[in-house]
Amino acid sequence: MLSPNEFTIGTLGSAAPLSLILPRTKYEATMLVGHVDKAPAAVFLSGEFAFRYFPSTANDSWRGLIIPGVRVEVDETSVFDPGQTSAPLGAAIRTDTRLAIRVKSEHSLTGSSAVTLHDELASAGDLGAGFTKWQIAIGEGPTKRVLWQKSDEGEAAKSSA
C-alpha cells in the first residue's frame, strides 16, 4: 500500500531520477528513471521491452503513478564478477563510483550500455561487482515496502508488498 504523500500521478518527463513509474492501465509500463550522461533516462522493468531504455526528458507520452526517491537494494547472494562473466541485461553493476543497470537502447539490436542509478558513491577503483537480483523499496525498518523485484532468472515481478 502507498500513502497519498508517497506518490503523484504524472508524465515520465516530470519524473526525476530514482523515480519508479507504475502503470495505471495495460497500456502503461513499469519503469525506473535513472540517467545517461546526466540526462534522465527511463528503463522498462517488465514486458516485451524489459531492460531497454530511452531518454525521458520532456516525455509526455508515458504516464502513470510516480513514486519519487525510491531505494535500490542489491541481493549480495547473487553477486558475480562482471570482469569474468558477461553481465545479463537487467543486472545491477557497481563500478567506479556508480551503481547502474545493464540495458539496451530502445533502438539497439545488439550491444548494451548502462543507465546510472546512483553516482558519487565511494570509489571501487578498477574493481566491480554485478548482482542478478535486486529490488526497489521505499520506507525503512517496519515501514519498508518492496515495490518491485528483479529475480535471478531474469524475470521481473512486481512485489505483493
Side-chain angles (χ1 to χ4, degrees):
M1 301 257 183
L2 292 172
S3 296
N5 63 337
E6 292 178 317
F7 72 94
T8 187
I9 303 98
T11 64
L12 184 56
S14 66
L18 284 179
S19 291
L20 178 66
I21 313 300
L22 295 177
R24 300 168 302 158
T25 71
K26 67 180 182 176
Y27 302 107
E28 295 174 342
T30 302
M31 293 183 262
L32 179 62
V33 180
H35 62 87
V36 174
D37 297 327
K38 304 291 183 196
V43 177
F44 287 103
L45 295 180
S46 59
E48 178 183 353
F49 301 108
F51 306 115
R52 290 197 182 259
Y53 85 94
F54 60 96
S56 59
T57 302
N59 184 309
D60 293 331
S61 299
W62 288 97
R63 299 174 179 162
L65 296 182
I66 300 173
I67 304 162
V70 297
R71 190 173 63 255
V72 176
E73 301 174 333
V74 297
D75 182 342
E76 70 282 357
T77 66
S78 71
V79 69
F80 65 92
D81 182 349
Q84 294 185 355
T85 304
S86 179
L89 282 180
I93 308 292
R94 173 70 164 86
T95 58
D96 53 61
T97 61
R98 303 178 315 132
L99 178 69
I101 303 173
R102 183 169 176 264
V103 294
K104 280 189 172 190
S105 169
E106 67 177 327
H107 300 298
S108 173
L109 297 176
T110 60
S112 67
S113 53
V115 170
T116 300
L117 301 176
H118 290 280
D119 52 12
E120 301 180 13
L121 299 170
S123 178
D126 293 337
L127 301 175
F131 303 88
T132 56
K133 292 183 185 178
W134 52 277
Q135 65 187 20
I136 299 169
I138 59 172
E140 301 272 342
T143 64
K144 175 181 169 178
R145 280 140 311 138
V146 175
L147 301 176
W148 185 88
Q149 293 180 313
K150 161 85 174 53
S151 74
D152 213 4
E153 293 78 36
E155 294 179 20
K158 192 170 157 183
S159 173
S160 60

